[in-house]
Amino acid sequence: MPSADSRSSYKTLQKFSPDYAPCTITKYESERTGMSVVVVDREGPKVNGFFTLATEIHDDSGAPHTLEHLCFMGSKSYRYKGVLDKLATRAYSNTNAWTATDHTAYTLDTAGWEGFAQILPVYLEHVIVPTLTDAGCYTEVHHIDGTGNDAGVVYSEMQGVQNTQGELMDLRAKRLLYPETVGFRYETGGMMEQLRVLTADRIREFHRDMYQPKNLCLVIVGDVDHADLLRILDSFESTIIDDIPRPDAPFKRPWVESDPAQPLANSILETVEFPEEDETSGEITVSFFGPSCDDLLHATALNVLLVYLAGSSASILENTLVEKEQLASAVYYSVEVRPKMLIQFALSSVATERLHEVEKRFFEVLTDSTANQLDMTYLKDCIVRERRLIKNSVETSSTPFSEPIIYDFLFAKRDGSMLKADLSNLDEFDELVSWPEDKWRQLIQSWFLDAHHVTILGKPSVELSKKLKSDEEARIEAQRERLGPAGLERLEKKLADAKAENDRDIPKDLLAKFPVPGTQSIHFITTMAARSGAAKKLGRLDNKVQKLVDGDDTSSPLFIHFEHVQSNFAHVSLVIGTEAVPVALRPLLTIYLENMFTSPIERDGARLEFEQVVMELERDTVDYGIGSGSTLGNSEVLCMRLSVEVEKYALAIQWLKEIIWNGIFDLERIASTTVRLLADVPEAKRSGSSMLSAIEEMTDSAPASISRARSTLVNALYLKGVRYHLQNDPELIVQQLEEIRAALFQFSNFRAVVVANVEKLTNPVSSWKNFTAKLDTIKALKPLDKRLSRVSEAGLNPGKLAYVVPMSTVDSSFALSVAKGPSSLRDPRLPALMVALSYLDAVEGPMWVAVRGTGLAYGTSFTRHTDSGQISYNVYRSPNAFKAFQTGRSVLEDFVSGKTDFDRFALEGAISSIVLSIANSQATMASAASMSFIRQVVRELPDNWNDMVLESVRKVKVEEIRAVMEELLLPVLTAGTANLFVTCAPVMEGELMKGFQGMGFQPEVRPLAWFQDDYGMKVPEGEDMNEDEEASDLEEEDESEDGLS
């Protein structure tokens, strides 16, 4: 095909429009350097870039991962750490990156084309011609600080994952699946022991080999100016042509021209231990090789077959192993796209003593699935639903097609021919529908039953936990002795020198060359709202959609809020208040909601079993569920949702009615769910970050809080009580579930939200008539539940509590502090606070430079919680959370005292970041509609609220920022005004306690069990045969403390 521009070196290889998505896909290739570009044109405020390199390495050095970090440290023309991100922030942009086993992708997330175009050449130069200095490598990858501890951004990141259950099992599986000549065998993130000896030269060598334009593909999704794009790329190539290997030099294409993975010679089963104090449950993974990734038909058939086998509670594996036999809490599946696709099943929360038995049973169930007749009706429903899900995803995703485009670049022909064949249509589903049962049976046989596989049994081990702790203590102590005081002093100076080199000031005139772009190219999505019933009390709207709604209005008082968008689907939600649910029963919502769509129902006087309910729901919908209303701006309400094709709008409402009022509280289903949820508790308690949030929730939220009542630390005790009563007084639990149903599903609790093309809806209002027919519609609509009313006394008046929680399952530390903040969006301090937070938390901003840039933590962040009147500060994955916390406080103190000046360019960037956050919140039709509902109904704000906010933040003065830092942010890091929570590796406990005590906090060391709460659902003493070991330890440790239960 001819070039898009005769003056450009980029030729057009492919251009097509998928027949199921409102977009156009164009692929270009440079005739000068071989660089590839794929543009997905679609309307919206965002332009997203994924700059992808195929990367392959045959060791665990971590060179791919460390290089990903170092590319942000400066480039040939911009030799300053942080300059890329400072420029990006000013241009309504955010940068990031990830390293996978087979590729590295650099992302550029921008509001509008103008900002994207401004940053693109700067970003590409950082990727292709980075500085890769010794100093950057020292601080970013690994170093030893003056106390003899290991640190570094990459090191602390991998320290947090290397000895986790998932990582240990995955690494062993890779070692067994692939020989040493295949790159998929290795940990590209880097093993800690290898990161400690990785050199800058090795990283530079990897960059020279892999980071060539011919091995780079720019995937760009959004409203793109193609002529401007090609002009920018032509100009960029001219600036780097002398810095890269000759474009026509020999190049071995990663993966495609490498040794392929060979079929397994035999099946392998191994046990891998992971550190854990709770030894009751483990995990199982089973891995197989699948079809070639360039075989679209069989790759699609594989996805359908996996849904059929393990896609829901009605599928064969999930239904048998989880629902009926209760051998695992879930059966998951995943597919890794590789030249030979990798299929993996995972069975979670399996009783440790039954790991071998359950692995054997897994294969028995698979075998039985082919011995018996396949359910071809359900299998064909799976085919139709998968096709429907793809159509929905291209509407609801802000970056449709980015993933298949990346994998096409990695493994397919570079001319884009397979890309066009794969994405132009969904004809492969038509062929799959015609396949006979024997064909599907053969695939199960060949991919799973006759195929060799690798099984890993993950077994928890207290002894390993102790060994890892003692080994690490001994290693660090030996390291300190080896270095001695003089050596540690030299290393401290070396680190200081490296920081000084990295943190050279960026010349102001360099930043000034890049003005803040205009907002004209940011095309915000607009929706049109309409109201019916009680929603009209918010004000009458005058537009064409309101007229359609009024034309069908049956005078029903039901609150219905419509958002009109261009879509082929209708998204129906029911927002439900929770105030009427007794506090003591709120933890039972965990079971109630879990079973909501997976219980039997009564229909026309007959009982429909839950498997049939699930099958019919999957046949009729693209999505369904119930959970917290946090996605609609209120975590204390519930949101029940169904998404359907627009012609099934009335059917969605009928499903709501049936699920709510015709659901049967089946004791077998309740017991099965209780056992499964209990089995998940040990795994949930292994995450340092998750448990940090959990202990804060248990402390700062009142028992009335729905999110607290459904916490893991409540489930750990409450579900044991439910299990006991199901065995001894089951009708009590059924009675309580009925009480919850009666409390929740009242007319006065309901707010319906409909996001759809209202012009395509038949009877948008009257379709609800049957739903409300038997309800008491006289009672007035209750106010929405407020998060602020469910904050505990400790949360309302923070500053008295501090806890350190050692966890054997983590190798790093995490910290969270919480203090008072604004509780209203109309608080006059809010604009200045928004700018202050945006300024501090910016990539390469003050906190980033001081904490992440020095290797003290993987990241830190402030969060404003207006709904609860709080502000929090989070330290994520740190080798020493105290040092990261202390450094963050010092940064704030220097701004408050005036020691550190505010940078004009960074302040402009902070305001640009606020613009980007608004664009992020409404990047798709569906998200724009949700934000419209939140603004109008949940927050009761005017239509022009975003404009008002932007006008306000642009007027904020430096003295106002300094004032909110002193009044609102400094207290978040101060003893006496903040509650403090820390989770950490046991080896870190003493040092963290000493550090925080030095800051004035009075931390107490507590086990996780101390924070648990049974809400009165107690098990009689001696009746619980699976006594929580942590609880036993707690009693021995301190019988005088009552904890929170």
Side-chain angles (χ1 to χ4, degrees):
M1 296 176 68
S3 276
D5 184 337
S6 59
R7 295 165 296 175
S8 174
S9 67
Y10 281 82
K11 60 181 179 180
T12 305
L13 298 181
Q14 303 289 344
K15 185 174 183 178
F16 60 95
S17 297
D19 63 11
Y20 53 95
C23 67
T24 300
I25 299 174
T26 308
K27 177 161 189 175
Y28 301 104
E29 185 179 74
S30 171
E31 294 178 308
R32 179 159 46 165
T33 66
M35 186 160 67
S36 299
V37 183
V38 181
V39 179
V40 181
D41 283 296
R42 61 170 286 154
E43 294 181 357
K46 299 293 298 299
V47 180
N48 292 90
F50 304 85
F51 311 147
T52 307
L53 297 118
T55 47
E56 180 179 3
I57 197 167
H58 291 180
D59 60 43
D60 299 315
S61 65
H65 184 198
T66 54
L67 177 56
E68 170 224 306
H69 283 247
L70 292 171
C71 280
F72 290 93
M73 304 285 282
S75 68
K76 178 181 73 169
S77 304
Y78 309 92
R79 307 185 69 84
Y80 301 92
K81 174 179 175 286
V83 67
L84 170 63
D85 286 300
K86 287 183 180 295
L87 294 176
T89 301
R90 289 166 54 76
Y92 317 118
S93 299
N94 185 41
T95 68
N96 210 331
W98 74 76
T99 301
T101 304
D102 48 25
H103 69 277
T104 303
Y106 296 84
T107 63
L108 180 57
D109 179 21
T110 307
W113 170 252
E114 189 176 342
F116 189 96
Q118 181 168 291
I119 296 304
L120 179 60
V122 181
Y123 201 162
L124 292 180
E125 186 181 281
H126 277 72
V127 173
I128 298 299
V129 200
T131 52
L132 300 183
T133 64
D134 289 344
C137 186
Y138 193 67
T139 59
E140 192 76 7
V141 179
H142 171 263
H143 57 265
I144 300 171
D145 64 21
T147 65
N149 288 306
D150 297 272
V153 176
V154 177
Y155 187 83
S156 59
E157 179 183 356
M158 299 312 297
Q159 183 183 49
V161 300
Q162 181 164 315
N163 289 314
T164 60
Q165 164 251 316
E167 182 70 13
L168 290 169
M169 292 176 67
D170 182 61
L171 183 63
R172 188 56 191 154
K174 289 192 289 191
R175 297 291 203 244
L176 297 173
L177 286 162
Y178 299 102
E180 294 181 359
T181 57
V182 176
F184 291 115
R185 174 186 176 90
Y186 299 98
E187 173 51 74
T188 50
M191 304 291 285
M192 284 190 287
E193 54 272 22
Q194 296 212 28
L195 288 170
R196 290 196 287 264
V197 297
L198 179 63
T199 66
D201 283 340
R202 176 68 183 97
I203 299 170
R204 294 181 190 114
E205 177 188 8
F206 184 78
H207 180 273
R208 184 176 63 251
D209 292 343
M210 294 289 163
Y211 278 48
Q212 301 184 32
K214 69 178 73 172
N215 194 37
L216 171 64
C217 179
L218 313 184
V219 183
I220 305 174
V221 183
D223 198 344
V224 176
D225 183 332
H226 285 244
D228 194 27
L229 170 64
L230 299 184
R231 179 190 60 76
I232 291 168
L233 294 179
D234 280 322
S235 176
F236 168 72
E237 288 188 339
S238 297
T239 66
I240 54 99
I241 197 70
D242 294 332
D243 300 298
I244 61 174
R246 285 189 305 108
D248 59 351
F251 178 75
K252 181 181 179 182
R253 186 177 169 190
W255 309 113
V256 175
E257 297 176 9
S258 301
D259 291 346
Q262 298 300 316
L264 293 168
N266 53 276
S267 291
I268 304 170
L269 186 150
E270 282 198 8
T271 298
V272 170
E273 291 187 339
F274 60 89
E276 171 62 273
E277 291 183 2
D278 185 338
E279 294 186 322
T280 58
S281 66
E283 313 289 323
I284 300 174
T285 60
V286 188
S287 303
F288 305 86
F289 287 124
S292 171
C293 69
D294 60 8
D295 184 347
L296 175 63
L297 183 64
H298 282 90
T300 306
L302 172 63
N303 286 328
V304 169
L305 198 53
L306 290 170
V307 171
Y308 174 81
L309 292 172
S312 74
S313 56
S315 60
I316 295 166
L317 292 169
E318 183 88 7
N319 186 254
T320 304
L321 299 174
V322 178
E323 303 295 346
K324 292 180 178 176
E325 300 179 7
Q326 299 172 22
L327 296 175
S329 67
V331 179
Y332 303 104
Y333 67 84
S334 62
V335 177
E336 293 284 346
V337 179
R338 294 172 179 176
K340 203 70 172 174
M341 298 176 81
L342 182 66
I343 309 160
Q344 187 173 88
F345 290 96
L347 286 73
S348 63
S349 303
V350 178
T352 304
E353 70 274 10
R354 303 185 72 180
L355 286 168
H356 286 274
E357 172 194 344
V358 175
E359 189 267 348
K360 181 180 178 182
R361 181 64 182 138
F362 170 84
F363 282 99
E364 289 175 351
V365 175
L366 267 181
T367 302
D368 290 345
S369 71
T370 58
N372 301 317
Q373 187 174 11
L374 299 183
D375 186 342
M376 290 304 294
T377 300
Y378 178 51
L379 201 153
K380 288 184 178 180
D381 283 346
C382 291
I383 297 171
V384 174
R385 189 166 195 260
E386 283 299 291
R387 181 176 189 157
R388 195 162 59 229
L389 286 169
I390 292 174
K391 289 183 176 180
N392 182 60
S393 69
V394 298
E395 284 191 8
T396 56
S397 169
S398 60
T399 56
F401 302 116
S402 57
E403 188 172 307
I405 291 171
I406 287 173
Y407 285 118
D408 178 86
F409 170 73
L410 295 180
F411 305 127
K413 296 178 181 177
R414 289 286 171 86
D415 63 4
S417 57
M418 291 185 63
L419 182 69
K420 182 176 181 180
D422 288 356
L423 299 184
S424 289
N425 55 60
L426 300 175
D427 291 351
E428 62 272 16
F429 289 96
D430 295 331
E431 183 168 349
L432 294 182
V433 169
S434 68
W435 278 11
E437 180 184 350
D438 284 350
K439 180 73 172 177
W440 293 101
R441 193 188 303 277
Q442 289 168 10
L443 292 182
I444 296 176
Q445 196 74 38
S446 62
W447 284 337
F448 305 123
L449 299 181
D450 293 342
H452 293 307
H453 58 273
V454 169
T455 298
I456 302 295
L457 307 181
K459 182 181 178 181
S461 170
V462 172
E463 286 305 312
L464 179 60
S465 177
K466 294 176 180 177
K467 183 177 185 301
L468 288 172
K469 177 184 177 181
S470 62
D471 287 354
E472 181 67 0
E473 289 174 336
R475 187 189 67 80
I476 292 174
E477 187 57 36
Q479 182 166 271
R480 288 169 177 158
E481 290 182 9
R482 173 174 52 83
L483 292 167
L488 291 174
E489 187 176 341
R490 282 195 302 272
L491 289 177
E492 185 72 16
K493 183 179 185 306
K494 182 178 179 181
L495 178 60
D497 291 344
K499 289 178 181 177
E501 181 179 338
N502 291 337
D503 296 335
R504 289 177 302 133
D505 289 338
I506 302 170
K508 302 298 183 184
D509 59 346
L510 175 59
L511 298 175
K513 292 178 182 178
F514 294 82
V516 175
T519 57
Q520 296 85 354
S521 69
I522 307 175
H523 302 144
F524 287 102
I525 296 172
T526 57
T527 66
M528 194 175 294
R531 296 165 180 165
S532 177
K536 289 183 177 179
K537 294 181 180 179
L538 295 175
R540 188 170 183 83
L541 301 174
D542 184 15
N543 57 58
K544 65 176 183 177
V545 179
Q546 186 64 58
K547 290 181 173 62
L548 283 173
V549 168
D550 290 344
D552 184 47
D553 201 333
T554 59
S555 299
S556 166
L558 178 66
F559 184 111
I560 311 178
H561 180 96
F562 293 92
E563 287 289 340
H564 175 67
V565 298
Q566 295 304 313
S567 174
N568 293 313
F569 297 90
H571 307 280
V572 181
S573 300
L574 195 64
V575 178
I576 307 156
T578 58
E579 186 61 30
V581 179
V583 171
L585 297 186
R586 293 184 186 184
L588 196 54
L589 282 168
T590 298
I591 293 174
Y592 187 94
L593 302 183
E594 189 74 15
N595 278 352
M596 194 81 187
F597 288 91
T598 58
S599 290
I601 64 171
E602 183 179 339
R603 180 184 291 168
D604 300 328
R607 176 183 170 116
L608 204 66
E609 295 300 335
F610 88 90
E611 292 93 343
Q612 188 62 34
V613 173
V614 172
M615 288 180 182
E616 290 189 18
L617 278 166
E618 292 183 346
R619 181 193 65 202
D620 293 336
T621 71
V622 291
D623 185 36
Y624 60 86
I626 184 169
S628 162
S630 56
T631 55
L632 291 176
N634 188 328
S635 61
E636 291 299 320
V637 300
L638 300 177
C639 181
M640 189 175 181
R641 69 189 188 282
L642 288 98
S643 296
V644 297
E645 290 160 307
V646 71
E647 60 269 19
K648 293 181 179 179
Y649 172 64
L651 182 59
I653 299 169
Q654 177 61 27
W655 268 117
L656 283 176
K657 180 180 179 181
E658 281 198 315
I659 294 296
I660 289 171
W661 288 293
N662 293 13
I664 297 170
F665 296 122
D666 179 83
L667 285 171
E668 185 178 332
R669 295 291 305 130
I670 298 167
S672 172
T673 299
T674 303
V675 170
R676 175 164 51 83
L677 292 173
L678 261 175
D680 278 337
V681 168
E683 182 178 358
K685 290 165 75 173
R686 290 168 190 154
S687 166
S689 178
S690 296
M691 287 301 98
L692 182 72
S693 299
I695 62 176
E696 187 278 327
E697 181 85 63
M698 297 301 293
T699 305
D700 288 342
S701 294
S705 167
I706 296 299
S707 53
R708 182 188 191 274
R710 298 174 61 207
S711 164
T712 296
L713 296 179
V714 172
N715 289 345
L717 294 182
Y718 190 91
L719 293 178
K720 290 181 179 180
V722 173
R723 182 179 62 189
Y724 170 79
H725 285 291
L726 286 172
Q727 294 167 350
N728 295 277
D729 185 12
E731 288 308 314
L732 172 66
I733 303 301
V734 172
Q735 176 188 329
Q736 291 177 336
L737 289 170
E738 288 285 9
E739 191 175 348
I740 290 175
R741 173 154 59 185
L744 285 176
F745 298 111
Q746 305 174 28
F747 182 84
S748 56
N749 264 351
F750 290 157
R751 288 169 175 81
V753 187
V754 178
V755 178
N757 185 335
V758 180
E759 294 173 327
K760 292 183 179 180
L761 294 181
T762 303
N763 304 323
V765 178
S766 58
S767 292
W768 291 87
K769 185 175 182 180
N770 192 39
F771 179 84
T772 60
K774 296 182 180 180
L775 297 180
D776 178 3
T777 60
I778 302 301
K779 292 183 180 178
L781 185 67
K782 295 177 182 177
L784 285 168
D785 305 305
K786 300 295 184 183
R787 177 88 180 95
L788 186 59
S789 68
R790 297 177 182 178
V791 176
S792 69
E793 176 61 28
L796 290 171
N797 296 289
K800 303 178 181 69
L801 302 175
Y803 299 108
V804 173
V805 181
M807 296 176 60
S808 63
T809 54
V810 301
D811 286 332
S812 54
S813 60
F814 306 81
L816 177 66
S817 58
V818 183
K820 288 184 178 181
S823 59
S824 169
L825 290 171
R826 298 183 186 275
D827 189 304
R829 300 169 296 178
L830 190 63
L833 178 60
M834 293 174 67
V835 176
L837 295 180
S838 183
Y839 185 93
L840 289 169
D841 280 346
V843 177
E844 292 297 342
M847 290 294 187
W848 176 290
V849 169
V851 180
R852 177 176 168 128
T854 57
L856 291 178
Y858 188 71
T860 67
S861 62
F862 283 98
T863 305
R864 171 174 54 87
H865 310 274
T866 311
D867 58 346
S868 59
Q870 296 169 322
I871 300 174
S872 63
Y873 179 71
N874 185 285
V875 175
Y876 180 76
R877 199 180 286 164
S878 169
N880 187 316
F882 160 69
K883 287 186 177 180
F885 191 92
Q886 182 185 49
T887 300
R889 178 179 167 83
S890 296
V891 169
L892 270 177
E893 287 176 330
D894 288 348
F895 277 112
V896 170
S897 67
K899 181 179 180 180
T900 301
D901 293 326
F902 289 90
D903 181 86
R904 174 174 68 87
F905 296 103
L907 284 171
E908 291 175 348
I911 294 170
S912 294
S913 292
I914 295 171
V915 175
L916 176 61
S917 70
I918 293 173
N920 285 336
S921 69
Q922 45 192 286
T924 66
M925 290 285 185
S927 60
S930 294
M931 287 307 301
S932 177
F933 172 79
I934 292 169
R935 185 187 69 249
Q936 296 179 59
V937 179
V938 178
R939 296 174 179 164
E940 298 180 355
L941 299 171
D943 289 344
N944 65 338
W945 177 252
N946 286 340
D947 295 333
M948 293 169 60
V949 168
L950 290 177
E951 182 179 356
S952 297
V953 299
R954 286 183 173 124
K955 293 179 179 178
V956 168
K957 297 180 174 59
V958 165
E959 45 273 32
E960 294 176 280
I961 301 173
R962 185 175 285 115
V964 296
M965 284 185 174
E966 181 174 14
E967 180 184 350
L968 295 175
L969 297 184
L970 202 54
V972 184
L973 291 96
T974 302
T977 52
N979 289 338
L980 174 69
F981 309 90
V982 178
T983 56
C984 65
V987 69
M988 299 178 178
E989 174 193 319
E991 191 170 357
L992 292 175
M993 286 286 291
K994 181 180 178 181
F996 282 113
Q997 286 168 350
M999 288 188 72
F1001 290 96
Q1002 298 178 10
E1004 303 173 50
V1005 177
R1006 297 293 182 191
L1008 280 176
W1010 190 83
F1011 296 89
Q1012 295 176 170
D1013 187 351
D1014 61 18
Y1015 277 67
M1017 181 65 80
K1018 297 185 183 297
V1019 179
E1021 188 174 348
E1023 292 291 337
D1024 186 2
M1025 301 305 294
N1026 296 304
E1027 191 70 31
D1028 190 310
E1029 290 183 8
E1030 282 185 309
S1032 282
D1033 294 341
L1034 174 63
E1035 290 169 8
E1036 294 173 11
E1037 176 187 271
D1038 190 350
E1039 294 182 358
S1040 66
E1041 295 289 348
D1042 294 329
L1044 298 176
S1045 58

